[in-house]
Amino acid sequence: MRVSTNMMNTTMYSAMVKSNVSYYETAAKMATGNRLLRPSDDPLAARAIQDLRHSENQINTYMDNLNNLESIFMSADSYLTQMNSICDRVTEIAISIGSGTASQEELAAYAAELDELNEALALQFNGTSPTGFYMFGGNVTDQPPLVEETDPVTGETTWVYQGDDGTRPVPVGEGTTIDAAFSPFDQLFGTGDDIFNTIDDTVEVISDPNSTPEQIAQASDDLLTAVGDFQDAINMQLAELGGRMNMVDDLQLSHTDVLMFNQQLQGQFGDLDYAQAAMDLSESAVALQAVQKTYLDMSQMNLFQMM
């Protein structure tokens, strides 16, 4: 086999290029902190990292959903608690009305207060989430669940519920959802004996100086029944809400632990061992310098001088 000057130069040039690539790849790994610059560096590790990142993205989506639910549930808890407080005052007034000892002036004062309490209760009932949807209409979120409608013939105004008993399951884990809807009130409407219409009826009775004691007593009983049913629905929702909030907390902790473990695994597969990399870089630098010096020396010699 003949050995020419060009062959020697080509061989040395290839060696120099290979050493140069090795040096700069090691330097790039040290700059990024990544052991893998391309999947081909370690196909099995690259596939494992890809799977882990996919899992991490999915868990982050679940975490976003959980954080949104946490915000929604905190708002719902505040609205429900305030509604409960208003109902407590309505109960006190109903008992005072039914005692039969209130004067006409006191009844008029109670009527005015009940009007205000009804408006305040409706305001909480039509409360919106931090993202702006109506919370207590079940799966109907784009319109107020409670509105006042006026009969065009009689002119009588009544409160009407526009919600439903639907659910809105939100994915928060593999095969796991949490309902974001609140619909404990739909069964309290439709018969006209809900708390809002009952308060209005009570106001009408106690504001009328011609109402008999029996009518006032009946209005008190009806109001106590309506407010009791409404508070039962509130307390049922608060109890269920507490379970949902506990589930959110548990899943947030669980997902956080999984994410930390996931990141540790990604580090084991992809993070660079800086001590080893420093040694490799030093060896690559020495080899590169040696090849460059040899190539430079050989480029100035002919084949006979090399022999």
Side-chain angles (χ1 to χ4, degrees):
M1 177 179 177
R2 293 185 176 182
V3 179
S4 67
T5 302
N6 284 340
M7 289 179 59
M8 292 294 295
N9 285 337
T10 300
T11 299
M12 292 305 301
Y13 180 77
S14 296
M16 185 174 65
V17 169
K18 184 176 181 180
S19 296
N20 195 55
V21 169
S22 176
Y23 175 82
Y24 283 105
E25 280 192 349
T26 303
K29 289 178 181 180
M30 294 186 71
T32 62
N34 296 323
R35 184 173 68 87
L36 309 178
L37 295 180
R38 59 186 71 84
S40 58
D41 290 344
D42 188 337
L44 291 178
R47 178 57 187 269
I49 292 174
Q50 182 182 24
D51 291 343
L52 288 168
R53 286 176 178 168
H54 176 76
S55 174
E56 182 178 0
N57 290 336
Q58 185 62 68
I59 293 174
N60 282 329
T61 298
Y62 292 146
M63 287 292 282
D64 288 341
N65 290 345
L66 286 167
N67 291 335
N68 289 334
L69 285 172
E70 183 179 41
S71 178
I72 292 169
F73 292 164
M74 290 177 66
S75 295
D77 183 76
S78 176
Y79 287 130
L80 291 166
T81 300
Q82 292 181 66
M83 282 192 273
N84 234 347
S85 297
I86 293 171
C87 286
D88 287 340
R89 179 54 186 160
V90 172
T91 299
E92 293 173 358
I93 293 175
I95 292 172
S96 297
I97 292 171
S99 68
T101 61
S103 66
Q104 192 60 48
E105 290 76 14
E106 289 173 324
L107 290 175
Y110 286 141
E113 185 175 357
L114 283 174
D115 263 335
E116 294 177 357
L117 291 171
N118 213 16
E119 292 295 333
L121 191 60
L123 183 65
Q124 300 302 317
F125 195 89
N126 284 335
T128 57
S129 74
T131 53
F133 67 81
Y134 291 96
M135 303 189 66
F136 297 111
N139 203 32
V140 180
T141 62
D142 59 350
Q143 62 183 10
L146 186 68
V147 295
E148 287 186 282
E149 291 186 353
T150 302
D151 189 303
V153 177
T154 65
E156 181 181 354
T157 299
T158 57
W159 294 93
V160 178
Y161 182 66
Q162 301 187 116
D164 63 17
D165 61 353
T167 61
R168 293 197 311 281
V170 176
V172 292
E174 187 67 32
T176 304
T177 62
I178 296 179
D179 189 9
F182 304 92
S183 54
F185 306 109
D186 64 292
Q187 69 273 18
L188 300 179
F189 290 82
T191 60
D193 59 357
D194 59 87
I195 187 173
F196 298 98
N197 287 303
T198 302
I199 289 177
D200 282 350
D201 292 342
T202 303
V203 169
E204 185 177 352
V205 170
I206 64 177
S207 297
D208 186 352
N210 296 319
S211 295
T212 65
E214 291 76 19
Q215 289 174 317
I216 293 175
Q218 185 60 55
S220 171
D221 290 343
D222 291 344
L223 184 54
L224 285 172
T225 298
V227 74
D229 290 344
F230 193 75
Q231 283 197 285
D232 286 345
I234 289 175
N235 291 327
M236 179 186 72
Q237 186 66 84
L238 281 170
E240 184 181 335
L241 181 59
R244 295 191 209 179
M245 294 177 79
N246 287 335
M247 189 174 179
V248 167
D249 290 340
D250 291 342
L251 285 171
Q252 284 176 324
L253 289 174
S254 176
H255 288 332
T256 298
D257 289 342
V258 172
L259 282 174
M260 291 178 62
F261 183 63
N262 186 310
Q263 290 167 0
Q264 289 175 357
L265 287 178
Q266 288 188 54
Q268 292 176 15
F269 284 116
D271 285 354
L272 184 68
D273 182 343
Y274 273 95
Q276 182 62 50
M279 293 177 59
D280 292 343
L281 186 67
S282 178
E283 291 175 0
S284 296
V286 171
L288 178 61
Q289 290 174 357
V291 172
Q292 287 175 334
K293 184 177 186 304
T294 302
Y295 179 76
L296 180 62
D297 292 341
M298 291 182 60
S299 65
Q300 299 174 355
M301 301 171 59
N302 58 38
L303 183 61
F304 294 102
Q305 290 174 318
M306 295 178 190
M307 300 178 56

